[in-house]
Amino acid sequence: MDKYISELVTLSNKNRRQFLKMAGYGTLGLLTGGFGPLLNQSVAKQISDTISETEFIPDLDISLLSMPGEVGIFPGEPTQVWRYHATVNKGDENKVISLPESYLGPIIKVHKGEKIRVRFTNSIPEESIIHWHGLHVPSIMDGHPRYVVSEGQSYLYEFEIKNRAGTYWYHPHPHGRTGPQVYGGLAGLFLVSDDEEKAIGLPEDEFDVPLVIQDRKFNQDNQLVYTSGNRMEQMTGFLGDWIMVNGEPDFTLPVSTRAYRLRLLNGSNSRIYKLAWKDERPLTIIGTDGGLLEMPVQREYLFLSPGERVEIWADFSDYSVGYETSIESLPFEVGGMGGGMMGRGMMMGGRNGQNQNLPNGAGFSIFKVKIIKYEKKYQSLPQNLSEIRPIPEDEAVNFYRPKQFYLTMRRMQWSINGRIFQMEEVADQEIVQIGTKEIWEFNNTGGGMMNMPHPIHLHGQQFRVIERSGVMHGGYVDEGWKDTVLLMPGERVKILVDFGDYPGLFLYHCHNLEHEDMGMMRNYFVTGSNNNQLNNST
Ligand SMILES: [Cu+2]
């Protein structure tokens, strides 16, 4: 532990320099009186002129603001939201796609190997920081909650894209407030391409469709309602009764008779979807959290838990114009008080009616797909999608003794091994030697009087799921590289992680955002140094 403390101090000093570098920048933000929706290029230019240049030469340099705004979701009153707004300071403007009709943040598109600078300015009236979900970045760039900046202040991100092509995303990560901030609208996609992906020729442009699935609850004035007031509601997590796709209710995807690449992100706070086609054809899955699989796999249905992504090959070439189908969420059991009625309508926190209409595990349609146009183009599904580097399990330093992480509840508090989040606390078991591989086993078998699913997310690293045991619900896509893995009650999952390079403090936590906010989150610390990688971030 002593070694951990001294290394953390060293890293903190390094991070203080990061903070100092940002201080002038933040002050400018305050001088301009905070940024409204009218932030324009000239203000962005002033900001960029104020930042002392470093040797980091970005391919893409953007200013990203979190700020209050409003969008028209339903007829009548616009809905007050929080949203990300981007301006491109340098680089290809087509790489940042704003979605003016949606509360979702701009889609940021980058290619592997590119260097990215993001000048984040927080203009919502509480502390925030951005986490790049799924990206392999240095500790200081990962959006740890100890780096939160208050309203009017800024944080500078500079990193190189090391990830494989895939569907990643970004969202706030302040401790205790991630749930409400994501719910308010702060989330966006971060799509990485690479040469390997380009070479296989998947559907592109309008045939490559990102679909962010979220649930929301609105009052009669079209305003978002976020209730997680009492402990019981927090224990369950927030559940809305409107299913939104890309920020729209009742979403319909118009398509032609051809193949599509559908990239699905579950951006919900706590809702799990059991995805299936309404017309009962199997789902053809080509990618998961960390990009393309080696080859396509098929499932009758699949679970997509908060934070997870899945990419689907959808070929409509056999269908006729006018045909309509949909992606459904099938009903399922999620556990609950005494082990298991929630999916059938007995729910937690029912007194205030929060989950009354649509409990986790209820069945409903997520979005419709309507064939509106005939097109002759036939594109066949590539059978070799990508190469996935094998990691022999016996290379793990703890191959014979996987680290055990129990997902537990005590006194109305979700925890991991009985511990809850402390800003810089690391237990002995949470220290990892840089350059090693480890097996971690998560165990969701001991909930006691309350059982719930927990999607476990690891920051900093993509991992492999090497074993799943217990109840075996089916419908998992454990193939490929993952950063979030769902454990239903009664299940155990072993993951293999390569802590190859970046040292420092990273998080692992439940991605049920209400669980995360109540402290079902812990640090792990990668000890040792790797000079190459350290230099990368400065
Ligand atoms: Cu959880």
Side-chain angles (χ1 to χ4, degrees):
M1 279 301 281
D2 290 350
K3 187 160 178 291
Y4 154 70
I5 290 165
S6 74
E7 284 183 50
L8 192 59
V9 168
T10 311
L11 279 162
S12 293
N13 286 336
K14 183 178 155 56
N15 297 351
R16 194 163 294 128
R17 287 199 295 277
Q18 167 80 6
F19 178 75
L20 288 173
K21 189 159 69 171
M22 292 308 298
Y25 174 30
T27 308
L28 186 75
L30 288 173
L31 285 176
T32 58
F35 301 120
L38 299 176
L39 176 92
N40 55 34
Q41 288 288 358
S42 71
V43 176
K45 181 73 169 46
Q46 285 173 40
I47 294 171
S48 69
D49 289 347
T50 320
I51 297 182
S52 60
E53 288 303 318
T54 65
E55 69 271 30
F56 183 92
I57 314 283
D59 299 288
L60 182 67
D61 179 329
I62 63 176
S63 297
L64 195 60
L65 283 87
S66 58
M67 61 193 202
E70 54 180 41
V71 286
I73 295 175
F74 298 102
E77 281 292 297
T79 304
Q80 303 299 314
V81 296
W82 282 338
R83 65 210 301 210
Y84 287 120
H85 175 86
T87 41
V88 177
N89 305 313
K90 183 196 162 198
D92 184 353
E93 300 213 341
N94 298 319
K95 293 195 157 196
V96 179
I97 301 158
S98 297
L99 308 168
E101 306 294 314
S102 172
Y103 54 75
L104 288 173
I107 301 174
I108 301 174
K109 289 179 146 183
V110 296
H111 199 76
K112 186 175 180 176
E114 285 183 322
K115 291 194 167 81
I116 312 301
R117 174 182 289 155
V118 179
R119 309 154 189 264
F120 167 56
T121 298
N122 179 24
S123 292
I124 61 165
E126 56 182 77
E127 292 181 329
S128 194
I129 191 74
I130 298 177
H131 168 55
W132 312 95
H133 185 123
L135 290 190
H136 179 53
V137 294
S139 163
I140 188 178
M141 299 299 160
D142 189 59
H144 191 281
R146 67 194 175 126
Y147 299 134
V148 288
V149 290
S150 45
E151 184 180 13
Q153 298 292 311
S154 300
Y155 196 90
L156 182 67
Y157 296 92
E158 290 174 339
F159 52 83
E160 182 180 334
I161 305 300
K162 303 267 191 181
N163 285 70
R164 313 168 78 228
T167 306
Y168 307 95
W169 63 302
Y170 59 98
H171 62 77
H173 220 295
H175 181 48
R177 293 290 295 168
T178 296
Q181 290 190 13
V182 172
Y183 186 75
L186 295 174
L189 286 165
F190 195 101
L191 307 181
V192 176
S193 57
D194 65 15
D195 295 342
E196 182 185 40
E197 178 199 53
K198 291 263 184 246
I200 62 165
L202 292 171
E204 286 184 316
D205 304 321
E206 72 260 45
F207 310 113
D208 174 358
V209 186
L211 297 157
V212 180
I213 307 169
Q214 297 172 309
D215 57 340
R216 293 292 185 269
K217 194 178 165 82
F218 297 91
N219 68 15
Q220 288 179 331
D221 301 322
N222 295 342
Q223 300 311 307
L224 287 166
V225 176
Y226 180 79
T227 45
S228 69
N230 63 46
R231 201 58 164 175
M232 281 305 249
E233 286 174 338
Q234 253 194 323
M235 293 297 293
T236 307
F238 176 87
L239 296 166
D241 44 19
W242 280 92
I243 304 302
M244 316 291 285
V245 173
N246 295 344
E248 279 180 47
D250 299 322
F251 184 86
T252 298
L253 179 68
V255 297
S256 306
T257 55
R258 54 158 293 150
Y260 283 75
R261 175 184 190 176
L262 306 181
R263 305 175 185 248
L264 275 55
L265 157 68
N266 183 351
S268 312
N269 283 34
S270 293
R271 186 176 292 282
I272 296 165
Y273 303 92
K274 184 179 180 180
L275 303 174
W277 285 109
K278 189 184 184 184
D279 55 16
E280 295 186 343
R281 64 174 140 167
L283 293 156
T284 301
I285 298 134
I286 58 171
T288 50
D289 298 342
L292 296 172
L293 304 178
E294 285 182 289
M295 60 194 77
V297 298
Q298 293 202 323
R299 297 284 189 276
E300 267 175 66
Y301 60 84
L302 70 88
F303 285 108
L304 196 67
S305 66
E308 283 187 298
R309 287 86 69 207
V310 69
E311 298 195 18
I312 290 172
W313 175 271
D315 188 349
F316 305 108
S317 56
D318 286 342
Y319 294 81
S320 44
V321 172
Y323 182 82
E324 219 178 90
T325 183
S326 59
I327 288 278
E328 306 274 303
S329 187
L330 305 177
F332 62 94
E333 287 285 320
V334 295
M337 259 326 214
M341 292 288 289
M342 280 179 30
R344 290 204 296 262
M346 207 181 108
M347 60 225 64
M348 317 297 302
R351 184 162 301 180
N352 296 334
Q354 185 210 340
N355 307 328
Q356 212 88 40
N357 299 333
L358 211 56
N360 218 350
F364 48 82
S365 169
I366 301 174
F367 64 91
K368 287 200 189 78
V369 176
K370 192 169 183 181
I371 316 244
I372 57 154
K373 195 173 145 203
Y374 176 75
E375 200 178 310
K376 234 175 21 185
K377 179 166 169 65
Y378 180 74
Q379 194 170 7
S380 64
L381 171 60
Q383 288 307 304
N384 295 308
L385 295 166
S386 75
E387 196 174 320
I388 293 198
R389 168 172 56 92
I391 312 181
E393 289 168 34
D394 59 7
E395 285 184 8
V397 291
N398 63 344
F399 177 65
Y400 295 104
R401 280 192 310 139
K403 283 182 176 171
Q404 298 295 321
F405 298 89
Y406 289 89
L407 311 178
T408 48
M409 205 244 319
R410 261 202 326 211
R411 287 185 235 103
M412 297 301 283
Q413 168 67 55
W414 288 114
S415 62
I416 301 176
N417 282 343
R419 299 186 183 99
I420 59 166
F421 181 67
Q422 302 293 334
M423 198 57 83
E424 295 195 339
E425 185 182 280
V426 177
D428 284 341
Q429 144 160 304
E430 293 164 329
I431 298 179
V432 171
Q433 182 65 43
I434 197 166
T436 64
K437 303 175 184 74
E438 291 196 359
I439 296 172
W440 289 15
E441 182 168 27
F442 292 94
N443 193 316
N444 191 19
T445 61
M449 65 177 288
M450 189 172 174
N451 292 302
M452 275 205 67
H454 300 286
I456 298 297
H457 172 48
L458 190 75
H459 284 220
Q461 303 289 347
Q462 293 283 327
F463 54 77
R464 307 296 306 275
V465 175
I466 57 172
E467 194 180 306
R468 180 187 285 277
S469 52
V471 173
M472 304 303 284
H473 280 77
Y476 297 109
V477 190
D478 289 331
E479 285 89 345
W481 289 99
K482 295 285 292 169
D483 55 55
T484 307
V485 62
L486 173 62
L487 285 96
M488 285 292 190
E491 290 186 328
R492 287 180 293 138
V493 165
K494 277 187 197 165
I495 64 170
L496 178 61
V497 197
D498 183 351
F499 299 96
D501 40 25
Y502 296 135
L505 205 60
F506 294 92
L507 299 165
Y508 65 102
H509 61 85
C510 180
H511 217 285
N512 176 317
L513 298 184
E514 284 69 39
H515 292 184
E516 170 184 340
D517 279 344
M518 75 161 73
M520 194 180 187
M521 172 160 80
R522 292 288 300 171
N523 289 307
Y524 72 90
F525 185 76
V526 181
T527 175
S529 68
N530 177 330
N531 288 327
N532 280 335
Q533 300 300 338
L534 270 176
N535 290 339
N536 229 342
S537 65
T538 53

